[in-house]
Amino acid sequence: GAVVSQHPSWVICKSGTSVKIECRSLDFQATTMFWYRQFPKQSLMLMATSNEGSKATYEQGVEKDKFLINHASLTLSTLTVTSAHPEDSSFYICSASELLRGGPDTQYFGPGTRLTVL
Amino acid sequence: GIQVEQSPPDLILQEGANSTLRCNFSDSVNNLQWFHQNPWGQLINLFYIPSGTKQNGRLSATTVATERYSLLYISSSQTTDSGVYFCAVGSHTGGFKTIFGAGTRLFVKA
């Protein structure tokens, strides 16, 4: 149980285009989803937290207009990198939790999406 | 905010050796998890352990919440144990948030 998928697993795009990454909880209802960014050989940095049906809460320094997050259902959250530039190239990882439904606050992670912006 | 420190930053082991990884955190937390990130980037849940001791095969973990540290023990290490081990702590103060340590990079030699 507790499987989280991400799509795509990798993407290469041209500078200026927008890229959408999907995060799905396959066998549980994820009331809370998290988006992280990881640079090579570094730790995970939390970008934003989203609760189903409400606006995402962004961490300090993360541009909300640049990284659009939509948590439209209990099993799907999307991250859209708008007008991507080479400095947005990174490994993006989502996680999901059943926290708001009284479930444990254990986080389950997706496999990640490697974004390369040319 | 909460600070999470992991040690050692890097570790090289001979196959079959045992090791202890440490995670210190600077404030009270609501939860603590240990993860293994494999070479493909997938984070694998090892333990959810806000307090106490748990064991799963060759791995075990202990968290002493009152002293703000957690230990991950790896016994009889195997080459497949190689990767990065992260400790992540969660706080419900001001909204649910998880803070990751910098990780311990483990390489097990055959």
Side-chain angles (χ1 to χ4, degrees):
Chain A
V3 178
V4 177
S5 69
Q6 267 185 255
H7 177 80
S9 54
W10 58 270
V11 57
I12 302 173
C13 69
K14 291 183 179 180
S15 187
T17 60
S18 294
V19 175
K20 180 184 282 189
I21 302 170
E22 291 187 349
C23 176
R24 294 181 184 271
S25 58
L26 299 185
D27 52 3
F28 67 102
Q29 294 184 323
T31 52
T32 306
M33 285 186 168
F34 307 85
W35 287 95
Y36 295 84
R37 185 173 182 177
Q38 186 179 31
F39 291 106
K41 299 195 175 184
Q42 293 189 24
S43 187
L44 280 74
M45 181 189 74
L46 179 65
M47 298 175 65
T49 302
S50 73
N51 295 315
E52 184 262 339
S54 62
K55 290 184 178 180
T57 302
Y58 291 81
E59 294 300 303
Q60 192 172 7
V62 178
E63 300 175 56
K64 59 181 67 177
D65 295 330
K66 173 80 171 170
F67 299 100
L68 300 179
I69 292 171
N70 183 22
H71 191 166
S73 76
L74 285 171
T75 59
L76 173 64
S77 177
T78 59
L79 167 67
T80 302
V81 184
T82 61
S83 187
H85 291 285
E87 58 266 28
D88 298 323
S89 299
S90 190
F91 191 53
Y92 293 89
I93 309 173
C94 74
S95 72
S97 164
E98 297 175 279
L99 177 65
L100 291 186
R101 289 217 159 182
D105 49 8
T106 309
Q107 288 188 48
Y108 299 96
F109 284 79
T113 297
R114 197 164 300 282
L115 170 64
T116 301
V117 185
L118 303 177
Chain B
I2 297 174
Q3 306 296 314
V4 182
E5 293 183 355
Q6 289 186 244
S7 60
D10 298 280
L11 185 59
I12 299 174
L13 296 176
Q14 191 67 46
E15 195 171 28
N18 303 328
S19 64
T20 301
L21 282 55
R22 187 177 180 101
C23 172
N24 292 333
F25 44 97
S26 61
D27 205 344
S28 300
V29 298
N30 296 99
N31 70 65
L32 187 146
Q33 289 185 254
W34 282 97
F35 297 94
H36 175 217
Q37 188 170 38
N38 66 23
W40 298 271
Q42 174 75 64
L43 279 155
I44 300 164
N45 291 59
L46 297 177
F47 294 102
Y48 174 84
I49 186 165
S51 64
T53 297
K54 290 186 178 180
Q55 180 158 6
N56 184 3
R58 296 182 297 104
L59 302 181
S60 63
T62 295
T63 297
V64 183
T66 53
E67 298 186 21
R68 299 179 184 167
Y69 73 88
S70 183
L71 302 174
L72 176 69
Y73 305 97
I74 305 174
S75 64
S76 303
S77 58
Q78 300 176 357
T79 57
T80 52
D81 294 333
S82 297
V84 184
Y85 290 81
F86 287 106
C87 164
V89 301
S91 171
H92 294 181
T93 303
F96 182 54
K97 186 173 293 191
T98 298
I99 310 296
F100 276 75
T104 292
R105 196 170 300 272
L106 173 65
F107 179 67
V108 181
K109 300 187 295 184

